[in-house]
Amino acid sequence: MEVIIQPTEEAAVKLTARIMADQLRARPDMVFGLATGATMEAVYAELARMCREEALDFSNAKSFNLDEYIGLPAEDKNSYRYYMDHHLFNNINIKKSNTHLPNGMTDDIPGEGPRYEAAIKAAGGIDLQLLGIGQDGHIGFNEPLSSLSSRTRDKSLTPVTYRQNSIYFNPPESMPRRAFTMGVGTILDAKRIVMLVTGKRKADIVAKAIEGPITSMISATAIQMHPHVVVILDEAAAANLKEQEYYRWTFANEPCWDRYR
Ligand code: F6R
């Protein structure tokens, strides 16, 4: 794992988008794993800008989102399909038919996970998985006690996640209590993982995720087992990391980061 601390949220967002863009330029038929949430909005705005102003070409790319609420149709403003269309897909030249989210309106809840897994496999697997982290340490919607080898499935959300996300719903009580999510095992199958974490309110949980013991109580700790992970933080989110000096040293000295400094 590599940990990169950037001076501001804006710098952390730009670095994340640049890494994604460079991977796409190197491999135009990239399969992206994508996340939703407040943290990613600025990343998607930056990718859209690059598509508009720098000819970043998504025409051969594919995407699979981590999760979707159960019971929300695509047109619902709080569905993750709506979020992705609004923040990214409508603003870049990706083919909509190449963008995938679990079907929150399916009649076959037990069948949706295996169907989604099969679609990921048929696309050749995920090349780059973008991750955020929830206040309870979830990745995707893998809430505490999710098996570290879990696959895509339906999952009940925790009260912490409910408090984190229900602010976007009107009324807040209309937020679904359940969602489909890629499993921790599905996420670990991605060839590369980029996690972006910003803001003071994530400082405690991200320190546990990076430097704490691996535990299913904090599903984000599972990324420690992945061979190719970079975690990008702003100063506020990095505040509780013990080994900051080492992380800064590595970023300053590793040749692979030369072009990003
Ligand atoms: C959503 C997802 C979640 C979010 C996390 C952080 O697709 O994967 O794990 O990344 O809940 O959300 P924000 O960025 O809103 O704090």
Side-chain angles (χ1 to χ4, degrees), residues 49-139:
R49 186 199 64 75
M50 287 173 166
C51 184
R52 218 169 38 244
E53 296 174 10
E54 297 171 11
L56 183 64
D57 181 11
F58 287 86
S59 61
N60 290 310
K62 294 195 176 85
S63 72
F64 288 87
N65 265 79
L66 284 163
D67 40 19
E68 178 61 284
Y69 290 112
I70 294 179
L72 293 192
E75 351 30 284
D76 189 299
K77 288 202 162 124
N78 285 303
S79 75
Y80 285 163
R81 164 53 78 181
Y82 186 95
Y83 171 107
M84 289 308 300
D85 285 350
H86 180 74
H87 288 290
L88 187 64
F89 301 148
N90 290 346
N91 311 324
I92 60 175
N93 66 333
I94 198 164
K95 293 185 189 83
K96 276 283 173 74
S97 55
N98 282 343
T99 68
H100 307 271
L101 286 93
N103 176 7
M105 295 302 287
T106 181
D107 292 333
D108 178 16
I109 290 182
E112 183 58 14
R115 187 200 65 78
Y116 203 62
E117 292 276 336
I120 293 172
K121 198 170 171 197
I126 289 169
D127 295 309
L128 188 157
Q129 177 65 56
L130 179 63
L131 292 179
I133 185 171
Q135 281 165 25
D136 64 359
H138 68 212
I139 47 177

Coordinates of all heavy atoms in Angstrom, one line a residue, residues 49-139:
R49 N -14.1 17.5 -16.9 CA -13.4 18.7 -17.4 C -12.3 18.1 -18.4 O -12.1 18.7 -19.5 CB -12.8 19.5 -16.3 CG -12.1 20.8 -16.8 CD -11.1 21.3 -15.8 NE -10.0 20.5 -15.5 CZ -8.9 20.3 -16.3 NH1 -8.9 20.9 -17.4 NH2 -7.9 19.4 -15.9
M50 N -11.6 17.1 -17.9 CA -10.5 16.5 -18.8 C -11.1 16.0 -20.1 O -10.5 16.1 -21.1 CB -9.8 15.4 -18.0 CG -8.9 15.8 -16.9 SD -8.3 14.4 -16.0 CE -7.0 15.1 -15.1
C51 N -12.3 15.4 -20.0 CA -12.9 14.9 -21.2 C -13.2 16.0 -22.2 O -13.0 15.9 -23.4 CB -14.2 14.1 -20.8 SG -15.0 13.3 -22.2
R52 N -13.7 17.1 -21.6 CA -14.1 18.3 -22.4 C -12.9 19.0 -23.0 O -12.8 19.4 -24.1 CB -14.9 19.2 -21.5 CG -16.0 20.0 -22.1 CD -16.9 20.7 -21.0 NE -16.2 21.3 -19.9 CZ -16.3 20.9 -18.6 NH1 -17.1 19.9 -18.3 NH2 -15.6 21.5 -17.7
E53 N -11.9 19.3 -22.1 CA -10.8 20.2 -22.5 C -9.6 19.5 -22.9 O -8.7 20.1 -23.5 CB -10.5 21.1 -21.3 CG -11.7 22.0 -20.9 CD -11.4 22.8 -19.6 OE1 -10.3 22.8 -19.1 OE2 -12.4 23.4 -19.1
E54 N -9.4 18.2 -22.5 CA -8.1 17.6 -22.8 C -8.3 16.3 -23.6 O -7.5 15.4 -23.7 CB -7.4 17.2 -21.5 CG -7.0 18.5 -20.7 CD -6.5 18.2 -19.3 OE1 -6.2 17.1 -19.0 OE2 -6.3 19.2 -18.5
A55 N -9.5 16.2 -24.2 CA -9.8 15.0 -25.1 C -9.6 13.7 -24.4 O -9.3 12.7 -25.0 CB -9.0 15.1 -26.3
L56 N -9.9 13.6 -23.1 CA -9.8 12.3 -22.4 C -11.0 11.5 -22.9 O -12.1 11.9 -22.9 CB -9.9 12.5 -20.9 CG -9.8 11.3 -20.0 CD1 -8.5 10.6 -20.2 CD2 -10.1 11.6 -18.5
D57 N -10.7 10.3 -23.4 CA -11.7 9.6 -24.2 C -12.2 8.3 -23.5 O -11.4 7.4 -23.2 CB -11.0 9.1 -25.5 CG -11.9 8.4 -26.4 OD1 -13.1 8.4 -26.1 OD2 -11.4 7.8 -27.4
F58 N -13.4 8.4 -23.1 CA -14.1 7.2 -22.4 C -14.9 6.3 -23.3 O -15.6 5.5 -22.9 CB -15.0 7.8 -21.3 CG -14.3 8.4 -20.1 CD1 -14.0 9.7 -20.1 CD2 -14.1 7.6 -19.0 CE1 -13.3 10.2 -19.0 CE2 -13.5 8.1 -17.9 CZ -13.1 9.5 -17.9
S59 N -14.7 6.5 -24.7 CA -15.6 5.9 -25.6 C -15.5 4.3 -25.6 O -16.4 3.6 -25.9 CB -15.5 6.4 -27.0 OG -14.2 6.1 -27.4
N60 N -14.3 3.8 -25.1 CA -14.2 2.4 -25.0 C -14.1 1.8 -23.6 O -13.9 0.7 -23.4 CB -12.9 1.9 -25.8 CG -13.1 2.1 -27.3 OD1 -14.0 1.7 -27.9 ND2 -12.1 2.8 -27.9
A61 N -14.4 2.7 -22.7 CA -14.3 2.3 -21.2 C -15.6 1.7 -20.8 O -16.6 1.9 -21.4 CB -13.9 3.6 -20.4
K62 N -15.4 0.9 -19.7 CA -16.6 0.3 -19.1 C -16.6 0.7 -17.6 O -15.5 1.0 -17.1 CB -16.6 -1.2 -19.2 CG -16.7 -1.7 -20.6 CD -17.1 -3.2 -20.6 CE -17.3 -3.8 -21.9 NZ -16.1 -4.2 -22.6
S63 N -17.7 0.6 -16.9 CA -17.7 0.9 -15.5 C -18.7 0.0 -14.8 O -19.7 -0.4 -15.3 CB -18.0 2.4 -15.2 OG -19.4 2.6 -15.5
F64 N -18.3 -0.3 -13.5 CA -19.2 -1.0 -12.6 C -19.2 -0.3 -11.3 O -18.1 -0.1 -10.7 CB -18.7 -2.5 -12.4 CG -18.9 -3.4 -13.6 CD1 -17.9 -3.4 -14.6 CD2 -20.0 -4.1 -13.7 CE1 -18.1 -4.2 -15.7 CE2 -20.2 -4.9 -14.8 CZ -19.3 -5.0 -15.8
N65 N -20.4 0.1 -10.9 CA -20.4 0.8 -9.6 C -20.4 -0.2 -8.4 O -20.9 -1.3 -8.6 CB -21.6 1.7 -9.5 CG -21.2 3.2 -9.9 OD1 -21.1 3.5 -11.0 ND2 -21.0 4.0 -8.9
L66 N -20.0 0.3 -7.3 CA -19.9 -0.5 -6.1 C -21.3 -1.0 -5.6 O -21.4 -2.1 -5.1 CB -19.2 0.2 -5.0 CG -17.7 0.4 -5.1 CD1 -17.3 1.5 -4.1 CD2 -17.0 -0.9 -4.7
D67 N -22.3 0.0 -5.6 CA -23.5 -0.3 -4.9 C -24.7 0.5 -5.4 O -24.5 1.4 -6.2 CB -23.2 0.0 -3.4 CG -22.4 1.3 -3.1 OD1 -22.3 2.1 -4.1 OD2 -21.9 1.4 -2.0
E68 N -25.8 0.1 -4.9 CA -27.1 0.7 -5.3 C -28.1 0.4 -4.2 O -28.1 -0.7 -3.6 CB -27.6 0.3 -6.6 CG -28.9 0.8 -7.1 CD -28.9 2.4 -7.3 OE1 -29.0 3.0 -6.2 OE2 -28.9 2.8 -8.4
Y69 N -28.9 1.4 -3.9 CA -30.0 1.2 -2.9 C -31.0 0.2 -3.4 O -31.4 0.3 -4.6 CB -30.7 2.5 -2.6 CG -29.8 3.5 -1.7 CD1 -29.4 4.7 -2.3 CD2 -29.5 3.2 -0.4 CE1 -28.6 5.5 -1.6 CE2 -28.7 4.1 0.3 CZ -28.3 5.2 -0.2 OH -27.5 6.1 0.5
I70 N -31.6 -0.6 -2.6 CA -32.7 -1.5 -3.0 C -34.0 -0.7 -2.9 O -34.3 -0.1 -1.8 CB -32.7 -2.8 -2.1 CG1 -31.4 -3.6 -2.3 CG2 -33.9 -3.6 -2.4 CD1 -31.3 -4.9 -1.5
G71 N -34.7 -0.7 -4.0 CA -36.0 -0.1 -4.0 C -36.1 1.3 -4.6 O -37.1 1.9 -4.7
L72 N -34.9 1.8 -5.1 CA -35.0 3.1 -5.7 C -34.8 3.0 -7.2 O -33.9 2.4 -7.7 CB -33.8 4.0 -5.2 CG -33.9 4.5 -3.8 CD1 -32.8 5.6 -3.6 CD2 -35.2 5.0 -3.3
P73 N -35.8 3.5 -8.0 CA -35.7 3.4 -9.4 C -34.6 4.4 -9.9 O -34.2 5.3 -9.2 CB -37.1 3.9 -9.9 CG -37.7 4.6 -8.8 CD -37.0 4.1 -7.5
A74 N -34.1 4.1 -11.2 CA -33.0 5.0 -11.7 C -33.4 6.4 -11.7 O -32.5 7.3 -11.5 CB -32.7 4.5 -13.1
E75 N -34.7 6.8 -11.9 CA -35.0 8.2 -12.0 C -35.1 8.9 -10.6 O -35.1 10.1 -10.5 CB -36.3 8.5 -12.6 CG -37.2 7.6 -13.4 CD -37.3 6.1 -13.1 OE1 -36.4 5.4 -13.5 OE2 -38.3 5.7 -12.5
D76 N -35.0 8.1 -9.5 CA -35.0 8.7 -8.2 C -33.7 9.5 -8.0 O -32.6 8.9 -8.2 CB -35.2 7.6 -7.1 CG -35.4 8.2 -5.8 OD1 -34.6 8.9 -5.2 OD2 -36.5 7.9 -5.2
K77 N -33.8 10.7 -7.5 CA -32.6 11.6 -7.4 C -31.6 11.0 -6.4 O -30.5 11.4 -6.4 CB -33.0 13.0 -7.0 CG -33.7 13.7 -8.1 CD -33.6 15.2 -7.8 CE -33.9 15.9 -9.1 NZ -34.9 16.9 -9.2
N78 N -32.1 10.1 -5.5 CA -31.1 9.5 -4.5 C -30.6 8.2 -5.0 O -29.8 7.6 -4.2 CB -31.8 9.4 -3.2 CG -31.9 10.7 -2.5 OD1 -30.9 11.4 -2.3 ND2 -33.1 11.2 -2.2
S79 N -31.0 7.7 -6.1 CA -30.4 6.4 -6.6 C -29.0 6.7 -7.1 O -28.7 7.8 -7.5 CB -31.3 5.8 -7.7 OG -31.0 6.5 -8.9
Y80 N -28.2 5.7 -7.0 CA -26.8 5.9 -7.4 C -26.7 5.9 -8.9 O -25.8 6.5 -9.5 CB -25.9 4.8 -6.8 CG -25.6 5.1 -5.3 CD1 -25.1 4.1 -4.5 CD2 -25.9 6.3 -4.8 CE1 -24.9 4.3 -3.1 CE2 -25.6 6.6 -3.4 CZ -25.1 5.6 -2.6 OH -24.9 5.8 -1.3
R81 N -27.7 5.3 -9.6 CA -27.7 5.5 -11.1 C -27.9 7.0 -11.4 O -27.2 7.5 -12.3 CB -28.8 4.6 -11.7 CG -29.2 4.9 -13.1 CD -28.1 5.0 -14.1 NE -27.6 3.7 -14.5 CZ -26.6 3.5 -15.4 NH1 -25.9 4.6 -15.9 NH2 -26.2 2.3 -15.7
Y82 N -28.8 7.6 -10.7 CA -29.1 9.0 -11.0 C -27.8 9.8 -10.7 O -27.4 10.7 -11.5 CB -30.3 9.5 -10.1 CG -30.7 10.9 -10.5 CD1 -31.7 11.2 -11.4 CD2 -30.0 12.0 -9.9 CE1 -32.0 12.5 -11.7 CE2 -30.3 13.3 -10.2 CZ -31.4 13.6 -11.1 OH -31.7 14.8 -11.4
Y83 N -27.2 9.5 -9.5 CA -26.0 10.2 -9.1 C -24.9 10.1 -10.2 O -24.3 11.1 -10.6 CB -25.5 9.6 -7.8 CG -24.1 10.1 -7.4 CD1 -23.9 10.9 -6.3 CD2 -22.9 9.6 -8.0 CE1 -22.6 11.3 -5.9 CE2 -21.7 10.0 -7.6 CZ -21.5 10.9 -6.5 OH -20.3 11.2 -6.1
M84 N -24.7 8.9 -10.7 CA -23.6 8.6 -11.7 C -23.9 9.3 -13.0 O -23.0 9.9 -13.6 CB -23.4 7.1 -11.9 CG -22.8 6.4 -10.7 SD -21.2 7.1 -10.1 CE -20.1 7.1 -11.5
D85 N -25.2 9.2 -13.5 CA -25.6 9.9 -14.7 C -25.3 11.4 -14.6 O -24.7 12.0 -15.4 CB -27.0 9.7 -15.0 CG -27.3 8.3 -15.6 OD1 -26.3 7.6 -15.8 OD2 -28.5 7.9 -15.7
H86 N -25.8 12.0 -13.4 CA -25.7 13.4 -13.2 C -24.3 13.9 -13.0 O -23.9 14.9 -13.6 CB -26.6 13.7 -12.0 CG -26.6 15.1 -11.6 ND1 -27.4 16.0 -12.3 CD2 -26.0 15.8 -10.6 CE1 -27.2 17.2 -11.7 NE2 -26.4 17.1 -10.6
H87 N -23.5 13.2 -12.2 CA -22.1 13.7 -11.9 C -21.1 13.3 -12.9 O -20.1 13.9 -13.0 CB -21.7 13.2 -10.5 CG -22.4 13.9 -9.4 ND1 -22.2 15.3 -9.1 CD2 -23.4 13.5 -8.6 CE1 -23.0 15.6 -8.1 NE2 -23.7 14.6 -7.8
L88 N -21.3 12.2 -13.6 CA -20.3 11.7 -14.6 C -20.7 11.3 -15.9 O -20.4 11.9 -16.9 CB -19.5 10.5 -13.9 CG -18.2 10.1 -14.7 CD1 -17.2 11.2 -14.7 CD2 -17.6 8.8 -14.1
F89 N -21.6 10.3 -16.0 CA -21.9 9.7 -17.3 C -22.4 10.6 -18.3 O -22.1 10.6 -19.5 CB -22.8 8.4 -17.2 CG -22.2 7.4 -16.3 CD1 -23.1 6.6 -15.5 CD2 -20.8 7.1 -16.2 CE1 -22.6 5.6 -14.7 CE2 -20.3 6.2 -15.3 CZ -21.2 5.4 -14.6
N90 N -23.3 11.6 -17.9 CA -23.9 12.5 -18.8 C -22.8 13.6 -19.3 O -23.1 14.3 -20.3 CB -25.0 13.3 -18.2 CG -26.2 12.4 -18.0 OD1 -26.3 11.3 -18.5 ND2 -27.2 12.9 -17.2
N91 N -21.7 13.6 -18.6 CA -20.7 14.7 -18.9 C -19.4 14.2 -19.5 O -18.5 14.9 -19.7 CB -20.4 15.4 -17.6 CG -21.6 15.7 -16.8 OD1 -22.6 16.1 -17.4 ND2 -21.6 15.6 -15.5
I92 N -19.4 12.9 -19.9 CA -18.2 12.3 -20.6 C -18.8 11.5 -21.7 O -20.0 11.3 -21.8 CB -17.4 11.4 -19.6 CG1 -18.2 10.3 -19.0 CG2 -16.7 12.3 -18.5 CD1 -17.4 9.3 -18.2
N93 N -17.8 11.0 -22.6 CA -18.3 10.3 -23.8 C -18.3 8.8 -23.6 O -18.0 8.0 -24.5 CB -17.5 10.7 -25.0 CG -16.0 10.2 -24.8 OD1 -15.5 10.1 -23.7 ND2 -15.3 10.0 -25.9
I94 N -18.7 8.3 -22.4 CA -18.8 6.9 -22.2 C -20.2 6.4 -22.7 O -21.1 7.2 -22.8 CB -18.7 6.6 -20.6 CG1 -18.4 5.1 -20.4 CG2 -20.0 7.0 -19.9 CD1 -17.9 4.7 -19.0
K95 N -20.2 5.2 -23.3 CA -21.5 4.7 -23.8 C -22.3 4.2 -22.5 O -21.8 3.4 -21.7 CB -21.2 3.4 -24.7 CG -20.5 3.8 -26.0 CD -20.4 2.5 -26.8 CE -19.5 2.8 -28.0 NZ -18.1 2.6 -27.7
K96 N -23.5 4.7 -22.5 CA -24.4 4.3 -21.3 C -24.5 2.8 -21.1 O -24.5 2.3 -20.0 CB -25.8 4.9 -21.4 CG -25.9 6.4 -21.0 CD -25.9 6.5 -19.4 CE -25.9 8.0 -19.0 NZ -27.1 8.7 -19.3
S97 N -24.5 2.1 -22.3 CA -24.6 0.7 -22.2 C -23.4 0.0 -21.6 O -23.4 -1.2 -21.2 CB -24.9 0.1 -23.6 OG -23.8 0.5 -24.5
N98 N -22.3 0.7 -21.5 CA -21.1 0.2 -20.9 C -21.0 0.6 -19.4 O -20.0 0.3 -18.7 CB -19.8 0.7 -21.6 CG -19.6 0.0 -22.9 OD1 -20.1 -1.1 -23.1 ND2 -18.7 0.6 -23.7
T99 N -22.0 1.2 -18.9 CA -22.0 1.6 -17.4 C -23.0 0.7 -16.7 O -24.1 0.4 -17.1 CB -22.4 3.1 -17.2 OG1 -23.8 3.2 -17.6 CG2 -21.6 4.0 -18.1
H100 N -22.5 0.2 -15.6 CA -23.3 -0.8 -14.8 C -23.4 -0.5 -13.4 O -22.5 0.0 -12.7 CB -22.6 -2.2 -14.9 CG -22.3 -2.6 -16.3 ND1 -23.2 -3.3 -17.1 CD2 -21.3 -2.4 -17.1 CE1 -22.7 -3.5 -18.3 NE2 -21.5 -2.9 -18.3
L101 N -24.6 -0.7 -12.8 CA -24.9 -0.6 -11.4 C -25.8 -1.8 -11.1 O -26.5 -2.3 -11.9 CB -25.6 0.7 -11.0 CG -24.8 2.0 -11.0 CD1 -24.9 2.7 -12.3 CD2 -25.2 2.9 -9.8
P102 N -25.7 -2.3 -9.8 CA -26.7 -3.3 -9.4 C -28.1 -2.7 -9.7 O -28.3 -1.5 -9.5 CB -26.4 -3.5 -8.0 CG -25.0 -3.0 -7.7 CD -24.8 -1.9 -8.7
N103 N -29.0 -3.6 -10.0 CA -30.4 -3.2 -10.3 C -31.2 -3.2 -9.0 O -31.7 -4.2 -8.5 CB -31.0 -4.2 -11.3 CG -32.5 -3.9 -11.5 OD1 -33.0 -2.8 -11.1 ND2 -33.2 -4.7 -12.3
G104 N -31.4 -2.0 -8.4 CA -32.1 -1.8 -7.1 C -33.5 -2.1 -7.2 O -34.2 -2.3 -6.2
M105 N -34.1 -2.3 -8.4 CA -35.5 -2.6 -8.6 C -35.8 -4.0 -9.0 O -36.9 -4.4 -9.4 CB -36.1 -1.6 -9.6 CG -36.1 -0.2 -9.2 SD -37.0 0.1 -7.7 CE -38.6 0.0 -8.3
T106 N -34.7 -4.8 -8.9 CA -34.9 -6.2 -9.4 C -36.0 -7.0 -8.5 O -36.2 -6.7 -7.3 CB -33.6 -7.0 -9.3 OG1 -33.8 -8.3 -9.8 CG2 -33.1 -7.1 -7.9
D107 N -36.7 -7.9 -9.1 CA -37.6 -8.8 -8.4 C -36.8 -10.0 -7.8 O -37.4 -10.7 -7.0 CB -38.6 -9.4 -9.4 CG -39.6 -8.3 -9.9 OD1 -39.7 -7.3 -9.2 OD2 -40.1 -8.5 -11.0
D108 N -35.6 -10.1 -8.2 CA -34.8 -11.3 -7.8 C -33.6 -10.9 -7.0 O -32.5 -10.8 -7.4 CB -34.4 -12.1 -9.1 CG -33.5 -13.3 -8.7 OD1 -33.5 -13.7 -7.6 OD2 -32.8 -13.8 -9.7
I109 N -33.9 -10.6 -5.7 CA -32.8 -10.0 -4.8 C -31.7 -11.0 -4.7 O -30.5 -10.7 -4.8 CB -33.4 -9.5 -3.5 CG1 -34.2 -8.2 -3.8 CG2 -32.3 -9.2 -2.5 CD1 -34.9 -7.5 -2.7
P110 N -32.0 -12.3 -4.4 CA -30.8 -13.2 -4.2 C -30.0 -13.4 -5.5 O -28.8 -13.7 -5.5 CB -31.5 -14.6 -3.8 CG -32.9 -14.2 -3.4 CD -33.2 -13.0 -4.1
G111 N -30.7 -13.2 -6.7 CA -30.0 -13.5 -8.0 C -29.2 -12.3 -8.4 O -28.4 -12.4 -9.3
E112 N -29.4 -11.1 -7.9 CA -28.8 -9.9 -8.4 C -27.3 -9.9 -8.2 O -26.5 -9.5 -9.1 CB -29.4 -8.7 -7.8 CG -28.9 -7.3 -8.3 CD -29.1 -7.1 -9.8 OE1 -29.8 -7.9 -10.4 OE2 -28.4 -6.2 -10.3
G113 N -26.8 -10.4 -7.0 CA -25.4 -10.4 -6.8 C -24.6 -11.3 -7.8 O -23.7 -10.8 -8.4
P114 N -25.1 -12.6 -7.9 CA -24.4 -13.4 -8.9 C -24.5 -12.9 -10.3 O -23.5 -13.0 -11.1 CB -25.2 -14.8 -8.8 CG -25.7 -14.8 -7.3 CD -26.0 -13.3 -7.0
R115 N -25.6 -12.3 -10.7 CA -25.7 -11.7 -12.0 C -24.7 -10.6 -12.2 O -24.0 -10.5 -13.2 CB -27.1 -11.1 -12.2 CG -27.4 -10.6 -13.6 CD -28.6 -9.6 -13.7 NE -28.4 -8.4 -13.0 CZ -27.6 -7.4 -13.5 NH1 -27.0 -7.5 -14.6 NH2 -27.5 -6.3 -12.8
Y116 N -24.5 -9.7 -11.2 CA -23.6 -8.6 -11.3 C -22.1 -9.1 -11.3 O -21.3 -8.7 -12.1 CB -23.8 -7.7 -10.1 CG -23.3 -6.3 -10.2 CD1 -23.8 -5.5 -11.2 CD2 -22.3 -5.8 -9.5 CE1 -23.4 -4.2 -11.4 CE2 -21.8 -4.4 -9.6 CZ -22.4 -3.7 -10.6 OH -22.0 -2.4 -10.7
E117 N -21.8 -10.1 -10.5 CA -20.5 -10.8 -10.5 C -20.2 -11.3 -11.9 O -19.1 -11.2 -12.4 CB -20.4 -11.9 -9.5 CG -20.5 -11.4 -8.0 CD -19.2 -11.0 -7.5 OE1 -18.1 -11.4 -8.0 OE2 -19.2 -10.2 -6.5
A118 N -21.2 -12.0 -12.5 CA -21.0 -12.6 -13.8 C -20.7 -11.5 -14.9 O -19.8 -11.6 -15.8 CB -22.2 -13.4 -14.2
A119 N -21.4 -10.3 -14.7 CA -21.2 -9.2 -15.7 C -19.7 -8.7 -15.5 O -19.1 -8.3 -16.5 CB -22.2 -8.1 -15.5
I120 N -19.3 -8.6 -14.3 CA -17.9 -8.0 -14.1 C -16.9 -9.0 -14.7 O -16.0 -8.6 -15.4 CB -17.6 -7.9 -12.6 CG1 -18.5 -6.8 -12.0 CG2 -16.2 -7.6 -12.3 CD1 -18.5 -6.7 -10.4
K121 N -17.1 -10.3 -14.5 CA -16.2 -11.3 -15.0 C -16.2 -11.3 -16.6 O -15.2 -11.3 -17.2 CB -16.7 -12.7 -14.5 CG -15.7 -13.7 -14.7 CD -16.1 -15.0 -13.9 CE -15.1 -16.1 -14.3 NZ -15.6 -17.4 -14.0
A122 N -17.4 -11.1 -17.1 CA -17.5 -11.1 -18.6 C -16.8 -9.9 -19.2 O -16.3 -10.0 -20.3 CB -19.0 -11.1 -19.0
A123 N -16.7 -8.8 -18.4 CA -16.0 -7.6 -18.9 C -14.5 -7.8 -18.7 O -13.7 -6.9 -19.1 CB -16.5 -6.4 -18.1
G124 N -14.0 -8.9 -18.1 CA -12.6 -9.1 -17.9 C -12.1 -8.7 -16.5 O -10.9 -8.6 -16.3
G125 N -13.0 -8.3 -15.6 CA -12.6 -7.9 -14.3 C -12.4 -6.4 -14.2 O -12.3 -5.7 -15.3
I126 N -12.3 -5.9 -13.0 CA -12.1 -4.4 -12.8 C -10.6 -4.1 -12.8 O -9.8 -4.7 -12.1 CB -12.8 -4.0 -11.5 CG1 -14.3 -4.1 -11.8 CG2 -12.4 -2.6 -11.1 CD1 -15.2 -3.9 -10.6
D127 N -10.2 -3.1 -13.7 CA -8.8 -2.7 -13.7 C -8.4 -1.8 -12.6 O -7.4 -1.9 -12.0 CB -8.5 -2.1 -15.1 CG -8.7 -3.0 -16.2 OD1 -8.1 -4.1 -16.2 OD2 -9.5 -2.7 -17.2
L128 N -9.3 -0.8 -12.4 CA -9.0 0.2 -11.4 C -10.3 0.4 -10.6 O -11.3 0.8 -11.1 CB -8.5 1.5 -12.0 CG -8.0 2.6 -11.0 CD1 -7.1 3.5 -11.7 CD2 -9.1 3.4 -10.4
Q129 N -10.2 0.2 -9.3 CA -11.4 0.4 -8.4 C -11.2 1.7 -7.6 O -10.2 1.8 -6.8 CB -11.5 -0.8 -7.4 CG -12.7 -0.7 -6.4 CD -14.0 -0.6 -7.1 OE1 -14.4 -1.5 -7.8 NE2 -14.8 0.4 -6.9
L130 N -12.1 2.6 -7.7 CA -12.1 3.8 -6.9 C -12.9 3.6 -5.7 O -14.0 3.1 -5.7 CB -12.7 4.9 -7.8 CG -12.8 6.3 -7.1 CD1 -11.4 6.9 -6.8 CD2 -13.6 7.3 -8.1
L131 N -12.3 3.9 -4.5 CA -13.0 3.7 -3.2 C -13.0 5.0 -2.4 O -12.0 5.7 -2.4 CB -12.3 2.7 -2.4 CG -12.3 1.2 -2.8 CD1 -11.5 0.4 -1.8 CD2 -13.7 0.7 -3.0
G132 N -14.1 5.2 -1.7 CA -14.1 6.1 -0.5 C -14.2 5.3 0.7 O -14.1 4.1 0.7
I133 N -14.4 5.9 1.8 CA -14.6 5.2 3.1 C -15.7 5.8 3.9 O -15.9 7.0 4.0 CB -13.3 5.1 3.9 CG1 -13.4 4.2 5.2 CG2 -12.8 6.5 4.4 CD1 -12.1 4.0 5.9
G134 N -16.6 4.9 4.4 CA -17.7 5.4 5.2 C -17.3 5.7 6.6 O -16.2 5.3 7.1
Q135 N -18.1 6.4 7.4 CA -17.7 6.8 8.8 C -17.6 5.6 9.7 O -17.0 5.6 10.7 CB -18.7 7.8 9.3 CG -18.4 9.2 8.8 CD -19.5 10.2 9.0 OE1 -20.3 10.0 9.9 NE2 -19.5 11.2 8.2
D136 N -18.3 4.5 9.3 CA -18.1 3.2 10.0 C -17.1 2.3 9.4 O -17.0 1.1 9.8 CB -19.5 2.5 10.2 CG -20.0 2.0 8.8 OD1 -19.4 2.2 7.8 OD2 -21.1 1.4 8.8
G137 N -16.3 2.8 8.5 CA -15.2 2.0 7.9 C -15.6 1.2 6.7 O -14.8 0.4 6.2
H138 N -16.8 1.4 6.2 CA -17.3 0.5 5.1 C -16.6 0.9 3.8 O -16.2 2.1 3.6 CB -18.8 0.5 5.0 CG -19.4 1.8 4.5 ND1 -20.7 2.1 4.9 CD2 -19.0 2.8 3.7 CE1 -21.0 3.3 4.3 NE2 -20.0 3.7 3.6
I139 N -16.4 0.0 2.9 CA -16.1 0.2 1.5 C -17.3 -0.4 0.7 O -17.7 -1.4 1.1 CB -14.7 -0.3 1.1 CG1 -14.5 -1.8 1.6 CG2 -13.6 0.5 1.6 CD1 -13.2 -2.4 1.1

